[in-house]
Amino acid sequence: MSFDTLGLHDSLLKALAETGYTEPTTVQAQAIPAALAGGDLMVSSSTGSGKTASFVLPALMRVLAARAAAPLPGPQSDSARPDRRRPAHGRGDGGPRAGAPGAGAGPRILVLVPTRELAIQVAQATASYGRHVRGLRVATIVGGVPYGAQLQALRGPLDVLIATPGRLIDHMASGRARLDQVELLVLDEADRMLDMGFIEPIQHIAAATPATRQTVMFSATFAGFVGRLAGDLLKSPQRIDVASHTEAHADIEQRLHWVDDRDHKNAILDHILTERSVEQAVVFTSTQRDADWLADRLADMGHHVASLHGGHPQGRRNRVLQGLRNRQLRILVATDVAARGIDVPTISHVINYGLPMKEEDYVHRIGRTGRAGRSGLAVTLAERRDSGMVHRIQRYTTQRIPAATIAGLEPKVAEARTGPRPGIRPGARPGGPRGRTGGRPGFGHRPQRP
Ligand code: ADP
Ligand code: MG
């Protein structure tokens, strides 16, 4: 399978080849032709499977089609001269566009994402795959940064707008963001946006776009509210379900260490982080305070480390991510929201120092490693009181996380090594069928560890 067969323009194929992509991922092979056909899509596919290109490439095809219909003025053309007058729309199509002063024509493509980091990542991918699209105009509208540059971007002509819902709503309220030219609306990580309370902003934003638009929605799940939102926003969507959260993360080895207390946890963490196999690691904590505290502790030990969480100003967050990308940092200590969308292929380890609040977040966390065809190791450090969440994660992924120990750092409570299994003891049920091997349906076998 090669990209040539998907119906993409030569300029995009060229950019993909330059990026080093030789063949589409499974979700790309399915979603790109479906999106090019123009219908609505609901897509679920595991993290790291290449969803970004699945919507960015069809989006760029729309930009190319628009360019073919109305080419940009060339450098020699009269209309390229600076001209402060409002451009004429003299084709009886309603004349000059209305809207607040300073509102531009509005984007053809609108991509909604849950976080700033993800917005930046999608913008980078768009610029990269669109590097041969002449005069491609991409803007991001995200919270936590000054309004000035965003207003500037909204004033000019725009092809692709990538936005977090909250800040986009602000710009809509002031009349600065016009969405009546949107041909394609993309919702990336829709489940996450709903978790963050963005359901009303999303509905409001979608209502401001033309009803004739194409809508493509990505979500880990289409259960519950996400499914209802999909019902509201999508017109007889095609469903593409490449790999659900229950799919084994083939490139990610998972391990579980039961720990007695915080000291024991720190000792295991220190042991893992000093291993040579750790190229770069993301250590997740449950709270912002823990992230700062742990980063300080690891820095004191001589690690190249920084913390990343939503309490930090955007400038700092950008610098930290840059430091991770250019390998000045070996360890990142992060909270869930902040780590969303981090795409650094050299992350070899994900360590769950504090467990996530939601089982979905476990899947998103471990997806920070094992990217772009590399393998990764995801280690969870769990105290006894975390056993409920460990079970919920295992039920959610329908996979057992194999328990492991480190020589000299075994947990004191022997039972904890494979995790407590309350109420389930093979053969304990009176009158139960004798031949049954125990264990719960849907789970793998207990690991044969001592
Ligand atoms: P997702 O959104 O599904 O989590 P991304 O779109 O962020 O995944 O892609 C994950 C990684 O895979 C990125 O580093 C991206 O550059 C890389 N990638 C995407 N498509 C391909 C491809 N066809 N061939 C090789 N690498 C790819
Ligand atoms: Mg993604």
Side-chain angles (χ1 to χ4, degrees), residues 109-450:
I109 317 291
L110 174 62
V111 182
L112 295 179
V113 296
T115 65
R116 297 178 274 202
E117 281 74 19
L118 201 54
I120 292 161
Q121 190 197 320
V122 171
Q124 284 170 348
T126 308
S128 172
Y129 307 146
R131 69 182 71 160
H132 300 302
V133 177
R134 237 187 98 220
L136 179 66
R137 297 158 303 202
V138 183
T140 54
I141 295 289
V142 295
V145 295
Y147 280 78
Q150 299 186 346
L151 290 174
Q152 190 68 37
L154 288 173
R155 261 198 288 277
L158 208 49
D159 296 307
V160 183
L161 179 62
I162 301 151
T164 51
R167 179 60 71 92
L168 181 56
I169 288 276
D170 291 351
H171 285 294
M172 287 168 67
S174 65
R176 297 292 165 75
R178 300 196 43 190
L179 303 180
D180 56 356
Q181 304 294 313
V182 170
E183 299 169 18
L184 169 64
L185 171 66
V186 178
L187 291 93
D188 194 13
E189 307 206 0
D191 50 331
R192 187 61 174 196
M193 288 199 280
L194 296 202
D195 280 353
M196 293 168 78
F198 284 142
I199 188 154
E200 279 178 12
I202 290 171
Q203 281 164 333
H204 184 74
I205 290 165
T209 64
T212 51
R213 66 165 197 267
Q214 179 184 16
T215 312
V216 176
M217 192 163 158
F218 292 83
S219 181
T221 166
F222 282 97
F225 283 111
V226 195
R228 265 192 259 169
L229 182 70
D232 286 351
L233 299 187
L234 304 177
K235 295 176 293 288
S236 33
Q238 182 181 338
R239 175 91 199 244
I240 295 176
D241 202 345
V242 171
S244 67
H245 52 80
T246 60
E247 183 220 28
H249 291 263
D251 297 329
I252 305 170
E253 183 188 341
Q254 301 174 61
R255 258 182 228 166
L256 176 65
H257 288 278
W258 289 104
V259 301
D260 300 322
D261 51 30
R262 189 171 270 228
D263 285 345
H264 186 208
K265 190 190 268 192
N266 290 335
I268 291 184
L269 177 70
D270 296 345
H271 179 94
I272 294 170
L273 289 179
T274 49
E275 277 173 20
R276 302 247 320 264
S277 62
V278 178
E279 210 171 332
Q280 285 183 303
V282 180
V283 181
F284 283 97
T285 60
S286 307
T287 66
Q288 299 187 350
R289 258 181 70 197
D290 276 357
D292 288 331
W293 171 84
L294 186 58
D296 281 348
R297 182 181 164 276
L298 294 173
D300 286 346
M301 296 173 66
H303 289 294
H304 294 114
V305 57
S307 60
L308 183 79
H309 60 63
H312 292 141
Q314 186 61 27
R316 188 203 135 113
R317 292 164 74 176
N318 292 341
R319 279 197 303 281
V320 166
L321 285 175
Q322 199 51 47
L324 193 69
R325 273 191 207 101
N326 63 26
R327 310 186 120 212
Q328 284 168 336
L329 292 173
R330 183 162 164 267
I331 302 168
L332 183 71
V333 185
T335 57
D336 284 296
V337 170
R340 193 78 172 184
I342 292 179
D343 180 19
V344 179
T346 42
I347 295 171
S348 57
H349 287 60
V350 164
I351 300 170
N352 293 311
Y353 184 88
L355 263 72
M357 300 288 284
K358 293 189 177 143
E359 42 271 47
E360 301 95 275
D361 287 329
Y362 174 83
V363 176
H364 287 297
R365 286 178 174 196
I366 70 172
R368 297 306 111 214
T369 186
R371 292 177 85 77
R374 295 178 177 230
S375 61
L377 179 62
V379 181
T380 298
L381 309 179
E383 294 180 50
R384 281 300 297 270
R385 60 157 190 246
D386 297 321
S387 62
M389 180 45 83
V390 170
H391 285 303
R392 287 214 293 285
I393 290 168
Q394 296 188 138
R395 209 168 310 136
Y396 181 73
T397 60
T398 69
Q399 288 169 46
R400 195 166 175 81
I401 312 173
T405 54
I406 294 170
L409 289 172
E410 294 88 351
K412 289 196 191 79
V413 189
E415 185 214 357
R417 285 180 198 180
T418 50
R421 297 169 64 82
I424 308 266
R425 269 193 297 134
R429 205 146 40 104
R434 278 188 81 230
R436 285 201 47 187
T437 47
R440 278 185 277 183
F443 285 83
H445 293 291
R446 293 176 74 152
Q448 302 302 307
R449 285 183 167 272

Side-chain angles (χ1 to χ4, degrees), residues 3 21 23-25 28 46-52 121 343 371-372:
F3 278 107
Y21 296 178
E23 53 179 29
T25 65
Q28 288 162 4
S46 54
T47 44
S49 60
K51 290 187 287 293
T52 317
Q121 190 197 320
D343 180 19
R371 292 177 85 77

Side-chain angles (χ1 to χ4, degrees), residues 73-83 85:
Q76 257 70 52
S77 150
D78 272 354
S79 50
R81 269 198 249 120
D83 186 351
R85 283 171 303 157

